[in-house]
Amino acid sequence: LYHRPNLDQDQQRLDNNYNKRGFLEARVADTRVPASSDKSGLQVTLAVVEGDQYELSSLTIAGELPAGSDAAALREQIASKDGAIADLVTLQTLADPLLDPWREQGFPFARFEQQLAVGPPPSGKEGQKGIAITLVMVKGPQATVRDGRISGNKGTMPHVFLRELEVKTGQRYVHSDLKRSEMNLLQSGLLLSAQGRAIPVTSDATPMPEGAALVDVEFAVQETTTWLLSPAFFGDANEGVIFIGVIGDRNLLGTGLQGFASVQS
């Protein structure tokens, strides 16, 4: 069935796909969804303007660097090399770990702001452009944890997951506490996924020093199946056919407790 949000996601995927290949100006210029001639369905057409392909002229790290860091050394940790196709999507992914020292010191909103300058391509190829990128590191405000919370749980009581959290209410945000909390949640055996993030608190009466912030640390979880049903039949020369069944749940009534029962006849 046609669903407009799915089409919007496809447009974003197209943009992302072109950007990864250096077509930084590519965009979906027009989308048409007319009915087919026999009225049996819809025909989806996305018209794309590709634009020029960009090469990475240079990459520079600047801004608020962690103590003891060197801009040139940080640049060497990013695998994207000068002269390669300008893949800004992968570049952002490769650069993100460089922010972890700030996050570990309590700055959950550390980020890179991009400054771009267009020029001739390093290869000199016709139809291509060069782009010089400066990643400006911004540490953002230091944060204190107001609360830890769980979202996405449907059958499990929140306290079952909350007891696994390492983040400490009222203490400074520490990124490694968030990552350890994710690991603890997954090791509970009740989840398919657990993803933590810091959310700024914008409506709280608690006074904070200048340059500081309050955050709630939210863990979005996806539960997995925890029940077990295992029937089995086998024959015995003396007793004939024997049935053995085991039924159990590793998360009984959403409490995190285990319960198992077996039947033999």
Side-chain angles (χ1 to χ4, degrees), residues 53-58 81-86 119-131:
Q53 191 177 39
Y54 283 78
E55 299 173 4
L56 182 61
S57 299
S58 64
K81 301 304 179 183
D82 295 355
I85 295 300
S123 67
K125 292 181 180 178
E126 187 176 346
Q128 295 192 217
K129 295 180 179 178
I131 186 167

mmCIF file with all atom_site columns, all heavy atoms in Angstrom, residues 53-58 81-86 119-131:
data_model
loop_
_atom_site.group_PDB
_atom_site.id
_atom_site.type_symbol
_atom_site.label_atom_id
_atom_site.label_alt_id
_atom_site.label_comp_id
_atom_site.label_asym_id
_atom_site.label_entity_id
_atom_site.label_seq_id
_atom_site.pdbx_PDB_ins_code
_atom_site.Cartn_x
_atom_site.Cartn_y
_atom_site.Cartn_z
_atom_site.occupancy
_atom_site.B_iso_or_equiv
_atom_site.pdbx_formal_charge
_atom_site.auth_seq_id
_atom_site.auth_comp_id
_atom_site.auth_asym_id
_atom_site.auth_atom_id
_atom_site.pdbx_PDB_model_num
ATOM 1   N N   . GLN A 1 53  ? 30.426 16.154 -8.918  1.00 0.00 ? 53  GLN A N   1
ATOM 2   C CA  . GLN A 1 53  ? 31.020 15.301 -7.899  1.00 0.00 ? 53  GLN A CA  1
ATOM 3   C C   . GLN A 1 53  ? 32.176 16.056 -7.236  1.00 0.00 ? 53  GLN A C   1
ATOM 4   O O   . GLN A 1 53  ? 32.947 16.742 -7.892  1.00 0.00 ? 53  GLN A O   1
ATOM 5   C CB  . GLN A 1 53  ? 31.530 14.001 -8.521  1.00 0.00 ? 53  GLN A CB  1
ATOM 6   C CG  . GLN A 1 53  ? 31.929 12.955 -7.503  1.00 0.00 ? 53  GLN A CG  1
ATOM 7   C CD  . GLN A 1 53  ? 32.354 11.654 -8.170  1.00 0.00 ? 53  GLN A CD  1
ATOM 8   O OE1 . GLN A 1 53  ? 33.012 11.672 -9.203  1.00 0.00 ? 53  GLN A OE1 1
ATOM 9   N NE2 . GLN A 1 53  ? 31.983 10.530 -7.576  1.00 0.00 ? 53  GLN A NE2 1
ATOM 10  N N   . TYR A 1 54  ? 32.288 15.900 -5.920  1.00 0.00 ? 54  TYR A N   1
ATOM 11  C CA  . TYR A 1 54  ? 33.285 16.642 -5.154  1.00 0.00 ? 54  TYR A CA  1
ATOM 12  C C   . TYR A 1 54  ? 34.401 15.726 -4.677  1.00 0.00 ? 54  TYR A C   1
ATOM 13  O O   . TYR A 1 54  ? 34.162 14.574 -4.296  1.00 0.00 ? 54  TYR A O   1
ATOM 14  C CB  . TYR A 1 54  ? 32.641 17.318 -3.942  1.00 0.00 ? 54  TYR A CB  1
ATOM 15  C CG  . TYR A 1 54  ? 31.868 18.572 -4.272  1.00 0.00 ? 54  TYR A CG  1
ATOM 16  C CD1 . TYR A 1 54  ? 30.598 18.500 -4.827  1.00 0.00 ? 54  TYR A CD1 1
ATOM 17  C CD2 . TYR A 1 54  ? 32.414 19.835 -4.031  1.00 0.00 ? 54  TYR A CD2 1
ATOM 18  C CE1 . TYR A 1 54  ? 29.884 19.648 -5.135  1.00 0.00 ? 54  TYR A CE1 1
ATOM 19  C CE2 . TYR A 1 54  ? 31.708 20.986 -4.331  1.00 0.00 ? 54  TYR A CE2 1
ATOM 20  C CZ  . TYR A 1 54  ? 30.449 20.887 -4.880  1.00 0.00 ? 54  TYR A CZ  1
ATOM 21  O OH  . TYR A 1 54  ? 29.742 22.031 -5.187  1.00 0.00 ? 54  TYR A OH  1
ATOM 22  N N   . GLU A 1 55  ? 35.610 16.262 -4.692  1.00 0.00 ? 55  GLU A N   1
ATOM 23  C CA  . GLU A 1 55  ? 36.768 15.601 -4.104  1.00 0.00 ? 55  GLU A CA  1
ATOM 24  C C   . GLU A 1 55  ? 37.158 16.348 -2.828  1.00 0.00 ? 55  GLU A C   1
ATOM 25  O O   . GLU A 1 55  ? 36.933 17.552 -2.699  1.00 0.00 ? 55  GLU A O   1
ATOM 26  C CB  . GLU A 1 55  ? 37.943 15.607 -5.078  1.00 0.00 ? 55  GLU A CB  1
ATOM 27  C CG  . GLU A 1 55  ? 37.678 14.872 -6.378  1.00 0.00 ? 55  GLU A CG  1
ATOM 28  C CD  . GLU A 1 55  ? 38.818 15.049 -7.371  1.00 0.00 ? 55  GLU A CD  1
ATOM 29  O OE1 . GLU A 1 55  ? 39.834 15.686 -7.001  1.00 0.00 ? 55  GLU A OE1 1
ATOM 30  O OE2 . GLU A 1 55  ? 38.694 14.568 -8.511  1.00 0.00 ? 55  GLU A OE2 1
ATOM 31  N N   . LEU A 1 56  ? 37.747 15.613 -1.893  1.00 0.00 ? 56  LEU A N   1
ATOM 32  C CA  . LEU A 1 56  ? 38.183 16.216 -0.633  1.00 0.00 ? 56  LEU A CA  1
ATOM 33  C C   . LEU A 1 56  ? 39.528 16.899 -0.843  1.00 0.00 ? 56  LEU A C   1
ATOM 34  O O   . LEU A 1 56  ? 40.559 16.238 -1.022  1.00 0.00 ? 56  LEU A O   1
ATOM 35  C CB  . LEU A 1 56  ? 38.289 15.137 0.451   1.00 0.00 ? 56  LEU A CB  1
ATOM 36  C CG  . LEU A 1 56  ? 38.685 15.614 1.849   1.00 0.00 ? 56  LEU A CG  1
ATOM 37  C CD1 . LEU A 1 56  ? 37.660 16.599 2.402   1.00 0.00 ? 56  LEU A CD1 1
ATOM 38  C CD2 . LEU A 1 56  ? 38.845 14.420 2.795   1.00 0.00 ? 56  LEU A CD2 1
ATOM 39  N N   . SER A 1 57  ? 39.507 18.227 -0.839  1.00 0.00 ? 57  SER A N   1
ATOM 40  C CA  . SER A 1 57  ? 40.757 18.982 -1.014  1.00 0.00 ? 57  SER A CA  1
ATOM 41  C C   . SER A 1 57  ? 41.608 18.928 0.245   1.00 0.00 ? 57  SER A C   1
ATOM 42  O O   . SER A 1 57  ? 42.825 18.724 0.195   1.00 0.00 ? 57  SER A O   1
ATOM 43  C CB  . SER A 1 57  ? 40.447 20.438 -1.374  1.00 0.00 ? 57  SER A CB  1
ATOM 44  O OG  . SER A 1 57  ? 39.739 20.517 -2.591  1.00 0.00 ? 57  SER A OG  1
ATOM 45  N N   . SER A 1 58  ? 40.955 19.142 1.387   1.00 0.00 ? 58  SER A N   1
ATOM 46  C CA  . SER A 1 58  ? 41.675 19.097 2.662   1.00 0.00 ? 58  SER A CA  1
ATOM 47  C C   . SER A 1 58  ? 40.673 18.938 3.784   1.00 0.00 ? 58  SER A C   1
ATOM 48  O O   . SER A 1 58  ? 39.492 19.263 3.648   1.00 0.00 ? 58  SER A O   1
ATOM 49  C CB  . SER A 1 58  ? 42.498 20.373 2.887   1.00 0.00 ? 58  SER A CB  1
ATOM 50  O OG  . SER A 1 58  ? 41.642 21.498 3.002   1.00 0.00 ? 58  SER A OG  1
ATOM 51  N N   . LYS A 1 81  ? 41.058 10.355 3.161   1.00 0.00 ? 81  LYS A N   1
ATOM 52  C CA  . LYS A 1 81  ? 42.298 11.019 2.773   1.00 0.00 ? 81  LYS A CA  1
ATOM 53  C C   . LYS A 1 81  ? 42.045 12.136 1.772   1.00 0.00 ? 81  LYS A C   1
ATOM 54  O O   . LYS A 1 81  ? 41.088 12.098 0.990   1.00 0.00 ? 81  LYS A O   1
ATOM 55  C CB  . LYS A 1 81  ? 43.264 9.997  2.170   1.00 0.00 ? 81  LYS A CB  1
ATOM 56  C CG  . LYS A 1 81  ? 43.622 8.856  3.109   1.00 0.00 ? 81  LYS A CG  1
ATOM 57  C CD  . LYS A 1 81  ? 44.206 9.370  4.421   1.00 0.00 ? 81  LYS A CD  1
ATOM 58  C CE  . LYS A 1 81  ? 44.552 8.235  5.360   1.00 0.00 ? 81  LYS A CE  1
ATOM 59  N NZ  . LYS A 1 81  ? 45.053 8.737  6.681   1.00 0.00 ? 81  LYS A NZ  1
ATOM 60  N N   . ASP A 1 82  ? 42.914 13.134 1.811   1.00 0.00 ? 82  ASP A N   1
ATOM 61  C CA  . ASP A 1 82  ? 42.826 14.235 0.854   1.00 0.00 ? 82  ASP A CA  1
ATOM 62  C C   . ASP A 1 82  ? 42.945 13.689 -0.569  1.00 0.00 ? 82  ASP A C   1
ATOM 63  O O   . ASP A 1 82  ? 43.760 12.816 -0.853  1.00 0.00 ? 82  ASP A O   1
ATOM 64  C CB  . ASP A 1 82  ? 43.943 15.252 1.112   1.00 0.00 ? 82  ASP A CB  1
ATOM 65  C CG  . ASP A 1 82  ? 43.802 15.934 2.472   1.00 0.00 ? 82  ASP A CG  1
ATOM 66  O OD1 . ASP A 1 82  ? 42.791 15.685 3.148   1.00 0.00 ? 82  ASP A OD1 1
ATOM 67  O OD2 . ASP A 1 82  ? 44.710 16.703 2.842   1.00 0.00 ? 82  ASP A OD2 1
ATOM 68  N N   . GLY A 1 83  ? 42.106 14.206 -1.456  1.00 0.00 ? 83  GLY A N   1
ATOM 69  C CA  . GLY A 1 83  ? 42.098 13.759 -2.838  1.00 0.00 ? 83  GLY A CA  1
ATOM 70  C C   . GLY A 1 83  ? 41.065 12.688 -3.127  1.00 0.00 ? 83  GLY A C   1
ATOM 71  O O   . GLY A 1 83  ? 40.748 12.426 -4.289  1.00 0.00 ? 83  GLY A O   1
ATOM 72  N N   . ALA A 1 84  ? 40.516 12.065 -2.067  1.00 0.00 ? 84  ALA A N   1
ATOM 73  C CA  . ALA A 1 84  ? 39.487 11.042 -2.264  1.00 0.00 ? 84  ALA A CA  1
ATOM 74  C C   . ALA A 1 84  ? 38.145 11.702 -2.537  1.00 0.00 ? 84  ALA A C   1
ATOM 75  O O   . ALA A 1 84  ? 37.966 12.916 -2.382  1.00 0.00 ? 84  ALA A O   1
ATOM 76  C CB  . ALA A 1 84  ? 39.405 10.145 -1.037  1.00 0.00 ? 84  ALA A CB  1
ATOM 77  N N   . ILE A 1 85  ? 37.168 10.900 -2.941  1.00 0.00 ? 85  ILE A N   1
ATOM 78  C CA  . ILE A 1 85  ? 35.812 11.409 -3.130  1.00 0.00 ? 85  ILE A CA  1
ATOM 79  C C   . ILE A 1 85  ? 35.297 11.936 -1.802  1.00 0.00 ? 85  ILE A C   1
ATOM 80  O O   . ILE A 1 85  ? 35.487 11.316 -0.748  1.00 0.00 ? 85  ILE A O   1
ATOM 81  C CB  . ILE A 1 85  ? 34.888 10.296 -3.666  1.00 0.00 ? 85  ILE A CB  1
ATOM 82  C CG1 . ILE A 1 85  ? 35.334 9.860  -5.063  1.00 0.00 ? 85  ILE A CG1 1
ATOM 83  C CG2 . ILE A 1 85  ? 33.445 10.758 -3.687  1.00 0.00 ? 85  ILE A CG2 1
ATOM 84  C CD1 . ILE A 1 85  ? 35.320 10.978 -6.089  1.00 0.00 ? 85  ILE A CD1 1
ATOM 85  N N   . ALA A 1 86  ? 34.660 13.087 -1.812  1.00 0.00 ? 86  ALA A N   1
ATOM 86  C CA  . ALA A 1 86  ? 34.189 13.733 -0.591  1.00 0.00 ? 86  ALA A CA  1
ATOM 87  C C   . ALA A 1 86  ? 32.908 13.063 -0.107  1.00 0.00 ? 86  ALA A C   1
ATOM 88  O O   . ALA A 1 86  ? 31.799 13.423 -0.501  1.00 0.00 ? 86  ALA A O   1
ATOM 89  C CB  . ALA A 1 86  ? 33.947 15.221 -0.838  1.00 0.00 ? 86  ALA A CB  1
ATOM 90  N N   . GLY A 1 119 ? 36.546 24.752 -4.145  1.00 0.00 ? 119 GLY A N   1
ATOM 91  C CA  . GLY A 1 119 ? 37.653 25.180 -5.001  1.00 0.00 ? 119 GLY A CA  1
ATOM 92  C C   . GLY A 1 119 ? 37.867 24.173 -6.114  1.00 0.00 ? 119 GLY A C   1
ATOM 93  O O   . GLY A 1 119 ? 37.036 23.286 -6.342  1.00 0.00 ? 119 GLY A O   1
ATOM 94  N N   . PRO A 1 120 ? 38.964 24.262 -6.810  1.00 0.00 ? 120 PRO A N   1
ATOM 95  C CA  . PRO A 1 120 ? 39.256 23.301 -7.888  1.00 0.00 ? 120 PRO A CA  1
ATOM 96  C C   . PRO A 1 120 ? 39.526 21.912 -7.306  1.00 0.00 ? 120 PRO A C   1
ATOM 97  O O   . PRO A 1 120 ? 40.038 21.792 -6.190  1.00 0.00 ? 120 PRO A O   1
ATOM 98  C CB  . PRO A 1 120 ? 40.497 23.888 -8.559  1.00 0.00 ? 120 PRO A CB  1
ATOM 99  C CG  . PRO A 1 120 ? 41.130 24.746 -7.507  1.00 0.00 ? 120 PRO A CG  1
ATOM 100 C CD  . PRO A 1 120 ? 40.013 25.297 -6.691  1.00 0.00 ? 120 PRO A CD  1
ATOM 101 N N   . PRO A 1 121 ? 39.227 20.844 -8.068  1.00 0.00 ? 121 PRO A N   1
ATOM 102 C CA  . PRO A 1 121 ? 39.456 19.482 -7.564  1.00 0.00 ? 121 PRO A CA  1
ATOM 103 C C   . PRO A 1 121 ? 40.942 19.137 -7.549  1.00 0.00 ? 121 PRO A C   1
ATOM 104 O O   . PRO A 1 121 ? 41.687 19.560 -8.437  1.00 0.00 ? 121 PRO A O   1
ATOM 105 C CB  . PRO A 1 121 ? 38.704 18.614 -8.582  1.00 0.00 ? 121 PRO A CB  1
ATOM 106 C CG  . PRO A 1 121 ? 38.733 19.407 -9.847  1.00 0.00 ? 121 PRO A CG  1
ATOM 107 C CD  . PRO A 1 121 ? 38.649 20.848 -9.427  1.00 0.00 ? 121 PRO A CD  1
ATOM 108 N N   . PRO A 1 122 ? 41.401 18.392 -6.562  1.00 0.00 ? 122 PRO A N   1
ATOM 109 C CA  . PRO A 1 122 ? 42.818 17.991 -6.528  1.00 0.00 ? 122 PRO A CA  1
ATOM 110 C C   . PRO A 1 122 ? 43.242 17.219 -7.767  1.00 0.00 ? 122 PRO A C   1
ATOM 111 O O   . PRO A 1 122 ? 44.389 17.324 -8.204  1.00 0.00 ? 122 PRO A O   1
ATOM 112 C CB  . PRO A 1 122 ? 42.901 17.105 -5.276  1.00 0.00 ? 122 PRO A CB  1
ATOM 113 C CG  . PRO A 1 122 ? 41.770 17.555 -4.412  1.00 0.00 ? 122 PRO A CG  1
ATOM 114 C CD  . PRO A 1 122 ? 40.671 17.968 -5.348  1.00 0.00 ? 122 PRO A CD  1
ATOM 115 N N   . SER A 1 123 ? 42.341 16.432 -8.364  1.00 0.00 ? 123 SER A N   1
ATOM 116 C CA  . SER A 1 123 ? 42.694 15.632 -9.536  1.00 0.00 ? 123 SER A CA  1
ATOM 117 C C   . SER A 1 123 ? 42.746 16.454 -10.814 1.00 0.00 ? 123 SER A C   1
ATOM 118 O O   . SER A 1 123 ? 43.324 16.022 -11.816 1.00 0.00 ? 123 SER A O   1
ATOM 119 C CB  . SER A 1 123 ? 41.684 14.501 -9.727  1.00 0.00 ? 123 SER A CB  1
ATOM 120 O OG  . SER A 1 123 ? 40.404 15.035 -10.079 1.00 0.00 ? 123 SER A OG  1
ATOM 121 N N   . GLY A 1 124 ? 42.113 17.639 -10.818 1.00 0.00 ? 124 GLY A N   1
ATOM 122 C CA  . GLY A 1 124 ? 42.048 18.459 -12.019 1.00 0.00 ? 124 GLY A CA  1
ATOM 123 C C   . GLY A 1 124 ? 41.062 17.956 -13.048 1.00 0.00 ? 124 GLY A C   1
ATOM 124 O O   . GLY A 1 124 ? 41.007 18.473 -14.172 1.00 0.00 ? 124 GLY A O   1
ATOM 125 N N   . LYS A 1 125 ? 40.228 16.961 -12.697 1.00 0.00 ? 125 LYS A N   1
ATOM 126 C CA  . LYS A 1 125 ? 39.279 16.389 -13.654 1.00 0.00 ? 125 LYS A CA  1
ATOM 127 C C   . LYS A 1 125 ? 38.153 17.375 -13.947 1.00 0.00 ? 125 LYS A C   1
ATOM 128 O O   . LYS A 1 125 ? 37.640 18.050 -13.052 1.00 0.00 ? 125 LYS A O   1
ATOM 129 C CB  . LYS A 1 125 ? 38.686 15.094 -13.107 1.00 0.00 ? 125 LYS A CB  1
ATOM 130 C CG  . LYS A 1 125 ? 39.681 13.953 -12.995 1.00 0.00 ? 125 LYS A CG  1
ATOM 131 C CD  . LYS A 1 125 ? 38.997 12.698 -12.453 1.00 0.00 ? 125 LYS A CD  1
ATOM 132 C CE  . LYS A 1 125 ? 39.978 11.542 -12.345 1.00 0.00 ? 125 LYS A CE  1
ATOM 133 N NZ  . LYS A 1 125 ? 39.324 10.340 -11.780 1.00 0.00 ? 125 LYS A NZ  1
ATOM 134 N N   . GLU A 1 126 ? 37.761 17.410 -15.197 1.00 0.00 ? 126 GLU A N   1
ATOM 135 C CA  . GLU A 1 126 ? 36.664 18.272 -15.606 1.00 0.00 ? 126 GLU A CA  1
ATOM 136 C C   . GLU A 1 126 ? 35.345 17.708 -15.077 1.00 0.00 ? 126 GLU A C   1
ATOM 137 O O   . GLU A 1 126 ? 35.138 16.496 -15.047 1.00 0.00 ? 126 GLU A O   1
ATOM 138 C CB  . GLU A 1 126 ? 36.623 18.364 -17.129 1.00 0.00 ? 126 GLU A CB  1
ATOM 139 C CG  . GLU A 1 126 ? 35.607 19.373 -17.649 1.00 0.00 ? 126 GLU A CG  1
ATOM 140 C CD  . GLU A 1 126 ? 35.655 19.505 -19.156 1.00 0.00 ? 126 GLU A CD  1
ATOM 141 O OE1 . GLU A 1 126 ? 36.653 19.015 -19.765 1.00 0.00 ? 126 GLU A OE1 1
ATOM 142 O OE2 . GLU A 1 126 ? 34.722 20.071 -19.736 1.00 0.00 ? 126 GLU A OE2 1
ATOM 143 N N   . GLY A 1 127 ? 34.450 18.591 -14.638 1.00 0.00 ? 127 GLY A N   1
ATOM 144 C CA  . GLY A 1 127 ? 33.156 18.160 -14.119 1.00 0.00 ? 127 GLY A CA  1
ATOM 145 C C   . GLY A 1 127 ? 33.173 17.804 -12.648 1.00 0.00 ? 127 GLY A C   1
ATOM 146 O O   . GLY A 1 127 ? 32.166 17.359 -12.104 1.00 0.00 ? 127 GLY A O   1
ATOM 147 N N   . GLN A 1 128 ? 34.333 17.990 -12.006 1.00 0.00 ? 128 GLN A N   1
ATOM 148 C CA  . GLN A 1 128 ? 34.425 17.738 -10.569 1.00 0.00 ? 128 GLN A CA  1
ATOM 149 C C   . GLN A 1 128 ? 34.882 19.010 -9.859  1.00 0.00 ? 128 GLN A C   1
ATOM 150 O O   . GLN A 1 128 ? 35.441 19.917 -10.467 1.00 0.00 ? 128 GLN A O   1
ATOM 151 C CB  . GLN A 1 128 ? 35.380 16.576 -10.276 1.00 0.00 ? 128 GLN A CB  1
ATOM 152 C CG  . GLN A 1 128 ? 34.866 15.253 -10.829 1.00 0.00 ? 128 GLN A CG  1
ATOM 153 C CD  . GLN A 1 128 ? 35.635 14.053 -10.310 1.00 0.00 ? 128 GLN A CD  1
ATOM 154 O OE1 . GLN A 1 128 ? 35.862 13.109 -11.023 1.00 0.00 ? 128 GLN A OE1 1
ATOM 155 N NE2 . GLN A 1 128 ? 36.036 14.080 -9.053  1.00 0.00 ? 128 GLN A NE2 1
ATOM 156 N N   . LYS A 1 129 ? 34.603 19.057 -8.565  1.00 0.00 ? 129 LYS A N   1
ATOM 157 C CA  . LYS A 1 129 ? 34.998 20.195 -7.742  1.00 0.00 ? 129 LYS A CA  1
ATOM 158 C C   . LYS A 1 129 ? 35.741 19.685 -6.521  1.00 0.00 ? 129 LYS A C   1
ATOM 159 O O   . LYS A 1 129 ? 35.648 18.515 -6.155  1.00 0.00 ? 129 LYS A O   1
ATOM 160 C CB  . LYS A 1 129 ? 33.757 20.989 -7.308  1.00 0.00 ? 129 LYS A CB  1
ATOM 161 C CG  . LYS A 1 129 ? 32.996 21.661 -8.440  1.00 0.00 ? 129 LYS A CG  1
ATOM 162 C CD  . LYS A 1 129 ? 31.787 22.425 -7.909  1.00 0.00 ? 129 LYS A CD  1
ATOM 163 C CE  . LYS A 1 129 ? 31.029 23.111 -9.029  1.00 0.00 ? 129 LYS A CE  1
ATOM 164 N NZ  . LYS A 1 129 ? 29.811 23.815 -8.531  1.00 0.00 ? 129 LYS A NZ  1
ATOM 165 N N   . GLY A 1 130 ? 36.474 20.596 -5.906  1.00 0.00 ? 130 GLY A N   1
ATOM 166 C CA  . GLY A 1 130 ? 37.153 20.273 -4.654  1.00 0.00 ? 130 GLY A CA  1
ATOM 167 C C   . GLY A 1 130 ? 36.462 20.970 -3.493  1.00 0.00 ? 130 GLY A C   1
ATOM 168 O O   . GLY A 1 130 ? 35.856 22.030 -3.664  1.00 0.00 ? 130 GLY A O   1
ATOM 169 N N   . ILE A 1 131 ? 36.541 20.367 -2.322  1.00 0.00 ? 131 ILE A N   1
ATOM 170 C CA  . ILE A 1 131 ? 35.930 20.984 -1.146  1.00 0.00 ? 131 ILE A CA  1
ATOM 171 C C   . ILE A 1 131 ? 36.888 20.844 0.031   1.00 0.00 ? 131 ILE A C   1
ATOM 172 O O   . ILE A 1 131 ? 37.378 19.750 0.331   1.00 0.00 ? 131 ILE A O   1
ATOM 173 C CB  . ILE A 1 131 ? 34.548 20.365 -0.837  1.00 0.00 ? 131 ILE A CB  1
ATOM 174 C CG1 . ILE A 1 131 ? 33.867 21.135 0.295   1.00 0.00 ? 131 ILE A CG1 1
ATOM 175 C CG2 . ILE A 1 131 ? 34.652 18.877 -0.513  1.00 0.00 ? 131 ILE A CG2 1
ATOM 176 C CD1 . ILE A 1 131 ? 32.395 20.793 0.449   1.00 0.00 ? 131 ILE A CD1 1
#
